[in-house]
Amino acid sequence: MENVRDLGGMPLAGGGSTRFGQVLRSARLHDMTEADVELLVGKYGLRTVIDLRTPAEVERDGPTPLERAGVRTEHLTVLPEGQRPLPRDGEDPKLFNYRGYLDHRPENMLAAVRLLTEPDAGPALVHCAAGKDRTGVFCALVADAVGVRRDAVVNDYTLSNERLAAVLRRGVGGEYDIDPTDVDPHKCRPEVMAALLGELDARGSAPGWLLRHGMPDTELDVLRTRLTDPVSG
């Protein structure tokens, strides 16, 4: 497994931090060993996998070791169906793609977040291919929704750069034309995530986006309660 980390320990804007042992993020899971499965299922208590890859990626790779071990796996692609739109001239393609996850597949992004509020869903693991773009936007949306400081949201996003070379060497799927020796084009640039969060602000912030697309207030409260340890007054 590559690019794995717990979303715990992220500082909240109002004090406190996110809870460990609730959400993991990762790159694709197909190189997991039996020891990895035992660690996640037996010791971490993993109960749900949220797979943001496309149906073609899922079909190509087949079931993950976690899925074969009986862990509930929900496939919720966040890429648009059919011909993907292209960015306008001068528009940052990475920001364009990230915005597209929210604009073109809001139903699946919302469904993925709502999974974290189900009583028997956690601990959960979310992944895509490299664990940095689709997974990065999902984790940023969740973190912002529960009140994580913006600098910490951006920092978590850029942490994927530390494992990026290893992820590209191991491979993210044949449909991606990637030179594993050329890491720079694939890096997580902090200004891109900062810009996406700014666009979310213009839409009522992450909580507003979730509520507008159908998440009940009660579920948003459950999400915050489950994922955070605020400072008690």
Side-chain angles (χ1 to χ4, degrees), residues 61-131:
D61 290 337
T64 69
L66 287 172
E67 197 168 4
R68 292 198 300 270
V71 177
R72 174 190 181 188
T73 300
E74 299 290 342
H75 302 286
L76 293 163
T77 181
V78 294
L79 293 182
E81 296 180 343
Q83 183 69 33
R84 297 182 193 174
L86 298 174
R88 298 185 297 271
D89 289 345
E91 187 172 20
D92 188 292
K94 194 176 285 287
L95 177 60
F96 175 84
N97 289 335
Y98 290 0
R99 185 189 306 119
Y101 306 157
L102 301 172
D103 287 348
H104 299 299
R105 297 312 294 263
E107 73 287 356
N108 280 1
M109 187 66 80
L110 175 67
V113 176
R114 293 186 72 181
L115 280 171
L116 301 180
T117 71
E118 294 183 4
D120 58 349
L125 181 150
V126 59
H127 77 98
C128 52

Side-chain angles (χ1 to χ4, degrees), residues 28 53 60 68 73 81 104 118 145 150 155 185 210 217 225:
R28 63 200 292 266
R53 296 174 304 146
R60 180 202 63 216
R68 292 198 300 270
T73 300
E81 296 180 343
H104 299 299
E118 294 183 4
R150 284 293 175 81
N155 181 64
L210 291 168
D217 288 285
T225 299

